Amino acid sequence: QVQLVESGGGLVQPGGSLRLSCAASGSFWRINAMGWYRQAPGNLRELVAVITSGGSTNYADSVKGRFTISRDNAKNTVYLQMSSLKPEDTAVYYCNAAVRPGTFRPEIDYWGQGTQVTVSS
């Protein structure tokens, strides 16, 4: 009932910037937290950043000061502005949303298909 579609990934040189977007669509009551995770080959999926419906944010230590997460509640969209990119940021980035499908229905996590970010010269 909920779909998350990421966009904005691609190839960028070290020190460059990218802006990822994730739009939620479908049938639901509200979205609580939204976040970005990433997974490099052979590694576990790790949290990059999360933002609550009220705008509170949290970041992984490895990206703090370089990445900024934001959201537009009217558009049900979350963004990840990535600056000063490093080769170790190379990964598939996944959007996550904690969705309440109804007033009296429990929260469900949804995931996007992922978008590839490659940082290389």
Side-chain angles (χ1 to χ4, degrees):
Q1 70 186 108
V2 178
Q3 299 82 44
L4 301 177
V5 180
E6 303 103 331
S7 63
L11 175 65
V12 65
Q13 294 183 355
S17 299
L18 283 175
R19 181 177 172 87
L20 306 183
S21 299
C22 173
S25 62
S27 178
F28 53 87
W29 178 52
R30 67 182 298 174
I31 301 176
N32 292 330
M34 301 184 77
W36 290 93
Y37 292 71
R38 68 185 182 187
Q39 187 169 23
N43 292 345
L44 297 175
R45 187 173 298 185
E46 64 175 350
L47 174 69
V48 177
V50 64
I51 184 168
T52 70
S53 60
S56 298
T57 60
N58 196 19
Y59 298 90
D61 289 340
S62 60
V63 307
K64 190 170 296 185
R66 300 187 298 120
F67 291 9
T68 301
I69 189 171
S70 61
R71 66 190 287 173
D72 185 335
N73 289 333
K75 296 181 178 180
N76 293 316
T77 300
V78 63
Y79 307 93
L80 186 67
Q81 177 65 50
M82 305 184 294
S83 300
S84 301
L85 283 162
K86 305 174 181 179
E88 50 263 45
D89 295 318
T90 296
V92 177
Y93 284 70
Y94 296 91
C95 177
N96 171 264
V99 178
R100 288 199 175 274
T103 304
F104 302 106
R105 300 175 65 186
E107 184 180 273
I108 300 174
D109 279 345
Y110 287 89
W111 295 89
Q113 293 187 5
T115 183
Q116 177 70 47
V117 172
T118 302
V119 184
S120 176
S121 60

